């Protein structure tokens, strides 16, 4: 029967049934004290993970069932350790399993207890299993085994302050173990896209298991021995090498997003230029916009809780200037490749980010508006869609709450308004007037008045109409002349 003729759900049911039977027999053997027989049934249970036809999403369900059953075997190993059984003997005995896959799962299970018993150093056991894991070249099987290994060794790493530190290794051994696994898991994950099925199916299957690869990055971020200096000088360069060397857009997107999400804002601030350089130097198919927005959101959240720390960091690197440099670079290098609407969405996020960090900086607002103007300059009118222009309206509205009418003096503001349709101009005009009413401030600047006169005719008309109806009490204080009447 070919792979395409197999019912995936039916196959999973068969594999789960056999796995459950083997798991039940394994537990009975453990209860009777027959460890040799229990390991044989565990071997049979693990053999179900060798099926070549099960799709990754369903493989995960089978894997989790077996994962839970192996926990009972591990608990029994721990009881044997407490009763005086030498774990070195047990670690050697499980290597007699019938296949490479079964052998490695049992080694990881016994190896966790072996390290806990302190009969061997953590770094030696980790190195031994990692080296043998190279024998699993099937992408899905290899990914899931390495995920299992990471789960089993989560609290067995010789991290700073750990009881396994010292003779068991140090933070460098932890990082080397996790980086080796990340490198191999990423390679296996990329290989999943090759095969007989459609590209879209393969890509969907990869997305189904991306959290397996992300587990490595999560474990790295949890290490207590990694401070800002270690991260900047040692770990981050290793991570970026993995990201850039694979040259796979799906992998680059996920890995960079994971790095931004799991490591602290303090680490990102200390390495901001390197991070922005890496994010804007990826494969052209990577959605850099979403990566930069995620980073801005992380830093904005940090600013809300640790504003003084962020201010200090800003004095050293000027966060706005740094972002502006690399967004400008993105615009120059990929401005004609990236959809205009996505660029405006990035500029919207940048505007919100800037106003949170610098609520009264008019110059920064103008620079962001200038980015948007330059986004549109090389484009034809037909290529600027209505959804894109609606995003422009959103961009122009954002700074009104914090800067009110002051932004109307910015030349880029009226330039962008010139791209809008009459209905969009009406929406913008209402927002401008409501901002003025909310702020309870008269228009005191002739420059703003002159700028309003320079706005597109349709916008001037809407402003005048709304002003006459709602805001007659506001006028130009210094000249007694109002362009609205």
């Amino acid at each position: 029967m070919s792979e395409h003729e197999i019912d995936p759900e039916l196959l999973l049911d068969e594999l789960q049934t056999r796995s459950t039977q083997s798991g039940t027999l394994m537990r009975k053997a453990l209860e009777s004290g027959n460890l040799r027989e229990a390991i044989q049934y565990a071997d049979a249970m693990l053999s179900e993970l060798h099926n070549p036809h099960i799709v990754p999403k369903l493989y995960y369900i089978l894997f989790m069932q077996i994962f839970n059953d192996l926990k009972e075997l591990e608990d029994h190993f721990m009881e044997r350790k407490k009763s005086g059984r030498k774990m070195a003997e047990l670690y050697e005995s499980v290597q007699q399993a019938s296949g490479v896959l079964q052998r490695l799962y049992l080694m990881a299970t016994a190896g966790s207890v072996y390290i806990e018993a302190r009969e061997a150093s953590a770094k030696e056991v980790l190195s031994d299993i990692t080296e043998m894991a190279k024998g699993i070249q099937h992408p899905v099987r290899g990914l899931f085994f390495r995920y299992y290994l990471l789960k089993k060794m989560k609290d067995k790493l010789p991290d700073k302050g750990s009881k396994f530190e010292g003779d068991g290794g140090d933070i460098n051994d932890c990082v080397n173990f996790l980086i080796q696994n990340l490198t191999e898991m990423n390679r296996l994950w990329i290989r999943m896209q090759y095969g007989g099925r459609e590209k879209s199916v393969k890509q969907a299957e990869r997305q189904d298991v991306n959290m397996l690869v992300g587990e490595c990055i999560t474990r790295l971020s949890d290490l207590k021995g990694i401070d800002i200096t270690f991260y900047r000088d040692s770990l981050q360069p290793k991570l970026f090498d993995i990201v850039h060397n694979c040259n796979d857009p799906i992998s680059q997107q996920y890995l960079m997003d994971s790095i931004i999400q799991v490591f602290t804002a303090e680490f990102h601030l200390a390495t901001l230029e390197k991070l922005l350089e890496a994010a804007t130097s990826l494969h052209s198919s990577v959605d850099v916009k979403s990566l930069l927005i995620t980073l801005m959101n992380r830093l904005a959240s940090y600013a809300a809780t640790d504003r003084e720390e962020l201010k200090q960091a800003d004095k050293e690197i000027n966060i706005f200037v740094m972002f502006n440099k690399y967004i400008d670079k993105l615009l120059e290098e990929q401005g004609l490749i990236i959809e205009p609407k996505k660029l405006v969405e990035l500029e919207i996020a940048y505007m919100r980010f800037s106003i949170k960090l610098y609520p009264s900086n008019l110059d920064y607002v103008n620079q962001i508006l200038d980015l948007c103007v330059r986004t549109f300059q090389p484009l034809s009118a037909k290529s600027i869609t209505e959804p894109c222009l609606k995003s422009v309206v959103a961009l122009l509205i954002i700074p009104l709450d914090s800067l009110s009418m002051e932004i109307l003096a910015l030349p880029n503001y009226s330039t962008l308004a010139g791209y809008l349709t009459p209905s969009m101009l009406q929406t913008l005009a209402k927002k401008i007037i409501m901002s003025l009413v909310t702020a309870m401030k008269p228009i005191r600047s002739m420059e703003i008045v002159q700028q309003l006169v320079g706005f597109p005719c349709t916008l001037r008309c809407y402003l005048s109409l709304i002003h006459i109806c709602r805001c007659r009490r506001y006028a130009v204080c210094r000249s007694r002349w109002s362009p609205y009447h």
Side-chain angles (χ1 to χ4, degrees):
M1 180 181 290
S2 72
E3 182 179 351
H4 295 287
E5 296 171 339
I6 296 174
D7 184 315
E9 298 291 342
L10 181 59
L11 175 61
L12 175 64
D13 185 61
E14 292 174 357
L15 295 174
Q16 284 186 299
T17 299
R18 291 200 297 265
S19 172
T20 299
Q21 291 170 348
S22 297
T24 300
L25 292 171
M26 179 194 75
R27 282 188 289 275
K28 288 181 179 179
L30 290 175
E31 290 168 2
S32 65
N34 192 335
L35 183 57
R36 181 186 295 273
E37 190 173 86
I39 292 173
Q40 289 175 348
Y41 285 124
D43 184 316
M45 178 176 66
L46 286 162
S47 68
E48 306 302 340
L49 291 173
H50 208 278
N51 190 288
H53 301 301
I54 186 168
V55 298
K57 194 172 185 178
L58 300 182
Y59 192 99
Y60 179 76
I61 297 173
L62 177 64
F63 167 85
M64 288 307 302
Q65 177 181 314
I66 293 174
F67 182 98
N68 293 330
D69 285 340
L70 286 178
K71 181 64 174 65
E72 296 189 44
L73 183 62
E74 182 184 12
D75 290 342
H76 186 84
F77 288 166
M78 189 65 73
E79 290 300 319
R80 289 294 181 108
K81 177 189 82 71
K82 292 177 180 178
S83 65
R85 173 76 184 264
K86 289 294 182 181
M87 289 299 104
E89 297 175 1
L90 184 59
Y91 184 68
E92 290 295 327
S93 69
V94 298
Q95 296 183 43
Q96 306 305 312
S98 61
V100 173
L101 187 67
Q102 299 94 305
R103 184 181 310 134
L104 281 163
Y105 272 97
L106 292 171
M107 283 179 67
T109 307
S112 174
V113 184
Y114 193 20
I115 294 173
E116 182 67 34
R118 313 283 283 279
E119 292 180 26
S121 70
K123 64 181 179 182
E124 290 174 353
V125 177
L126 294 173
S127 177
D128 184 36
I129 300 175
T130 301
E131 186 63 28
M132 289 193 67
K134 294 177 182 178
I136 309 177
Q137 288 301 307
H138 187 278
V140 175
R141 294 173 209 150
L143 271 174
F144 275 90
F145 168 70
R146 288 177 181 273
Y147 178 71
Y148 180 80
L149 178 61
L150 291 170
K151 288 294 188 182
K152 291 292 104 179
M153 301 303 173
K154 177 180 177 180
D155 58 350
K156 304 298 188 299
L157 301 177
D159 191 10
K160 182 179 180 181
S162 163
K163 64 182 179 181
F164 306 111
E165 186 186 20
D167 292 340
D170 58 21
I171 186 62
N172 291 295
D173 295 302
C174 296
V175 170
N176 288 339
F177 165 70
L178 292 170
I179 287 293
Q180 285 179 37
N181 272 281
L182 177 59
T183 302
E184 185 63 18
M185 290 177 83
N186 190 49
R187 186 183 69 82
L188 292 167
W189 189 43
I190 292 171
R191 281 183 54 205
M192 283 180 63
Q193 70 188 18
Y194 302 111
R197 281 179 288 180
E198 294 180 5
K199 183 179 179 180
S200 59
V201 174
K202 288 292 185 180
Q203 289 180 345
E205 289 180 349
R206 287 185 66 187
Q207 297 295 355
D208 287 339
V209 296
N210 57 16
M211 76 289 184
L212 306 181
V213 183
E215 180 72 15
C216 266
I217 300 177
T218 301
R219 295 279 72 79
L220 283 164
S221 71
D222 288 340
L223 293 175
K224 296 177 182 177
I226 296 179
D227 57 17
I228 287 176
T229 301
F230 188 98
Y231 178 78
R232 180 191 64 220
D233 298 341
S234 181
L235 178 55
Q236 191 190 61
K238 290 183 175 70
L239 290 171
F240 287 168
D241 281 346
I242 294 172
V243 172
H244 286 111
N245 291 341
C246 71
N247 198 36
D248 175 77
I250 294 176
S251 174
Q252 289 186 340
Q253 183 85 46
Y254 180 74
L255 293 180
M256 282 300 297
D257 185 69
S258 297
I259 290 168
I260 292 170
Q261 295 277 15
V262 304
F263 287 102
T264 66
E266 292 92 335
F267 284 12
H268 295 329
L269 286 171
T271 59
L272 187 58
E273 183 156 24
K274 291 181 180 178
L275 180 54
L276 290 170
E277 174 65 35
T280 54
S281 302
L282 302 174
H283 192 284
S284 59
S285 298
V286 172
D287 183 6
V288 178
K289 175 210 74 173
S290 67
L291 296 177
L292 294 179
I293 291 175
T294 299
L295 179 57
M296 290 177 198
N297 291 339
R298 285 296 316 278
L299 297 182
S301 298
Y302 178 69
T305 56
D306 296 273
R307 192 159 190 84
E308 291 305 315
E309 291 291 332
L310 188 132
K311 282 183 178 179
Q312 184 59 39
D314 190 53
K315 289 178 182 178
E316 297 174 5
I317 60 174
N318 195 314
I319 298 169
F320 179 87
V321 171
M322 197 72 70
F323 269 98
N324 205 62
K325 173 183 175 181
Y326 286 97
I327 293 175
D328 192 56
K329 173 193 172 188
L330 181 68
L331 193 61
E332 288 182 5
E333 295 179 356
Q334 300 186 42
L336 296 177
I337 301 173
I338 303 174
E339 182 185 347
K341 185 176 184 295
K342 289 186 176 181
L343 288 172
V344 179
E345 288 170 353
L346 173 59
E347 288 148 6
I348 288 173
Y350 190 25
M351 182 71 79
R352 288 184 177 132
F353 175 67
S354 177
I355 288 175
K356 282 185 179 179
L357 270 60
Y358 317 96
S360 59
N361 196 312
L362 201 61
D363 179 55
Y364 287 172
V365 171
N366 191 46
Q367 289 187 50
I368 297 172
L369 295 178
D370 181 63
L371 285 172
C372 191
V373 170
R374 289 191 287 119
T375 298
F376 288 163
Q377 280 175 344
L379 304 177
S380 65
K382 290 182 179 179
S383 62
I384 305 175
T385 62
E386 183 176 351
C388 182
L389 291 177
K390 286 182 178 179
S391 296
V392 173
V393 174
L395 178 68
L396 295 174
I397 288 172
I398 291 168
L400 285 171
D401 289 339
S402 60
L403 295 169
S404 190
M405 300 295 282
E406 294 177 66
I407 64 167
L408 301 183
L410 302 177
N412 288 319
Y413 201 88
S414 59
T415 301
L416 287 173
Y419 286 98
L420 304 180
T421 64
S423 63
M424 293 175 186
L425 286 168
Q426 182 180 21
T427 300
L428 179 60
K430 290 178 181 178
K431 292 292 184 180
I432 292 173
I433 293 299
M434 290 309 298
S435 173
L436 179 60
V437 171
T438 303
M440 294 297 290
K441 293 179 181 179
I443 305 175
R444 298 181 180 276
S445 168
M446 181 58 69
E447 185 180 4
I448 292 177
V449 172
Q450 291 171 344
Q451 193 65 35
L452 284 171
V453 173
F455 268 23
C457 179
T458 309
L459 180 55
R460 289 205 315 276
C461 293
Y462 283 126
L463 284 169
S464 298
L465 178 61
I466 299 171
H467 182 77
I468 291 169
C469 295
R470 294 184 174 180
C471 310
R472 185 176 295 277
R473 66 183 180 276
Y474 292 101
V476 179
C477 299
R478 294 180 180 174
S479 67
R480 293 185 175 273
W481 174 80
S482 171
Y484 301 135
H485 296 282

